[in-house]
Amino acid sequence: MPMESFPALIVRREDKSDATFAVEQITRADLPAGDVVIEVEYSSLNYKDALACHAHPGVVRQLPHVPGIDCAGKVLESTVADFSVGDSVLVTGYDLGSGAWGGYSAQVRVPAAWVVPMPKSLTPRTAMLYGTAGFTAAQCVHAIQHHGVGLKRGEVVVTGATGGVGSIAVALLAKLGYQVVAVTGKPEFSELLQELGAQRIIGRTEVDDESEKQLLPSQWSAAVDTVGGNTLATLLRSTAYRGCVAACGLVGGDTLPLTVYPFILRGVTLCGIDSAKCPREPRMEIWDLLSGEWNVAEKLEPLAREVSLNEISTEVAAMLAGKNHGRILVRPSE
């Protein structure tokens, strides 16, 4: 008896042509090896996924490929005792959606070590409302706290504030009581950012100083940067004594035009945030925070919209053009 088929978004390249992606029907036999099969109820769209849809060589290792760096749903099959059929679970990071087929499929098969039991108070939908973006934002905020930047030290600035990571970082910092300054090139979303908790909203040019000054006037107690490049260099040069900058993006560039003066004269810390390979113990701690005292899912609802696999192409194009905002939830089964 043939296995039941289900939809998946497959990225392919014929000969030397550009990569294309389309929804195809596959079966469980097509999935990569692993311990746990998950029925995917929700995934989400991240910048890395948009790159994967076009087979970006820095993301996708081989074709054909299924993007989707996170997913949440119920266990359909398990060869390990840690998970049983019907368990609600999530997966973010590791090789999902890059080295291995990802969440843009109605079913995924992954190693058990990648699977996280669904935290209390979260559902597959709210888990993906956070997704990799929320997990990354929470790590940024955790780094700022761990570095000892208290609430009375001054303003914390967040770049790319209408994006997935940035918007969740604004909400988390505001919930914890920080004075949040949101940076955006989309002033039409100012009201939404204020609802998330931003006390001030500024334009991109205010954190993009192209002068050759080694240090700039101290403005920020800490920063969450999703942009990189000269923006990150500007933030480091303008962060106050013993401040912390958590960096997690490079849409503005992957080089850092900077001297060592922010580090050796002001004691500024640059904390790199990596979500994919985060060890299990801190990974579980972050998800516990997001499902407990840091839970801002209700605040994020106005930012969310849902799409099917057939509707992803429009969103991918908008994201790569810098025209997206908020959280895009993907429903692979529809």
Side-chain angles (χ1 to χ4, degrees):
M1 185 175 178
M3 297 185 73
E4 181 181 352
S5 65
F6 51 84
L9 188 77
I10 309 289
V11 183
R12 297 184 183 276
R13 177 183 286 117
E14 300 298 333
D15 299 322
K16 296 182 180 180
S17 61
D18 292 337
T20 59
F21 57 95
V23 179
E24 301 180 19
Q25 292 293 315
I26 64 173
T27 69
R28 194 174 298 179
D30 297 312
L31 297 176
D35 308 306
V36 182
V37 177
I38 301 168
E39 180 181 26
V40 181
E41 296 179 36
Y42 283 95
S43 182
S44 71
L45 178 63
N46 303 277
Y47 188 72
K48 191 173 181 180
D49 298 317
L51 294 176
C53 285
H54 291 282
H56 189 286
V59 178
V60 177
R61 298 176 190 169
Q62 61 183 24
L63 296 176
H65 181 69
V66 177
I69 62 172
D70 49 29
C71 68
K74 287 185 169 55
V75 174
L76 293 176
E77 179 183 292
S78 174
T79 62
V80 296
D82 292 338
F83 300 101
S84 302
V85 173
D87 286 352
S88 188
V89 296
L90 64 90
V91 183
T92 61
Y94 298 101
D95 263 353
L96 189 74
S98 55
W101 282 16
Y104 292 175
S105 172
Q107 294 183 22
V108 300
R109 184 189 282 125
V110 296
W114 297 5
V115 183
V116 172
M118 187 65 64
K120 294 178 180 179
S121 85
L122 295 187
T123 66
R125 186 181 186 282
T126 54
M128 290 298 97
L129 195 54
Y130 291 123
T132 294
F135 182 74
T136 302
Q139 284 193 94
C140 290
V141 175
H142 192 268
I144 290 170
Q145 276 197 332
H146 181 73
H147 190 68
V149 179
L151 301 180
K152 297 181 180 180
R153 289 270 296 272
E155 293 178 322
V156 177
V157 65
V158 179
T159 61
T162 60
V165 176
S167 58
I168 299 173
V170 169
L172 289 172
L173 288 163
K175 182 179 179 66
L176 294 174
Y178 286 96
Q179 303 171 52
V180 185
V181 177
V183 181
T184 182
K186 302 170 184 175
E188 64 270 25
F189 294 111
S190 294
E191 184 176 342
L192 187 57
L193 289 170
Q194 289 172 339
E195 291 174 358
L196 287 175
Q199 294 186 5
R200 284 204 301 132
I201 297 161
I202 61 176
R204 295 170 180 165
T205 57
E206 296 191 49
V207 289
D208 190 12
D209 187 292
E210 295 184 354
S211 72
E212 295 183 0
K213 294 179 180 178
Q214 296 164 342
L215 289 172
L216 298 169
S218 297
Q219 285 186 272
W220 324 112
S221 67
V224 173
D225 179 54
T226 69
V227 177
N230 194 62
T231 295
L232 176 55
T234 300
L235 293 175
L236 288 164
R237 289 185 292 156
S238 55
T239 295
Y241 183 71
R242 293 277 173 164
C244 175
V245 177
C248 61
L250 47 68
V251 294
D254 59 2
T255 59
L256 194 58
L258 192 67
T259 69
V260 299
Y261 285 107
F263 310 115
I264 65 174
L265 294 184
R266 288 184 179 163
V268 172
T269 294
L270 172 58
C271 187
I273 302 300
D274 164 54
S275 292
K277 296 181 181 180
C278 177
R280 191 164 184 85
E281 186 175 340
R283 182 180 293 271
M284 299 299 288
E285 180 185 0
I286 292 294
W287 280 111
D288 284 344
L289 287 169
L290 286 173
S291 64
E293 58 186 289
W294 287 16
N295 196 332
V296 291
E298 188 175 338
K299 281 243 180 196
L300 301 178
E301 279 295 344
L303 293 170
R305 59 188 186 281
E306 299 184 9
V307 299
S308 67
L309 291 180
N310 286 311
E311 297 168 318
I312 280 183
S313 59
T314 300
E315 302 295 343
V316 165
M319 180 167 282
L320 292 177
K323 296 180 179 179
N324 256 326
H325 70 279
R327 295 291 292 143
I328 301 164
L329 303 180
V330 180
R331 302 184 308 268
S333 295
E334 293 191 8

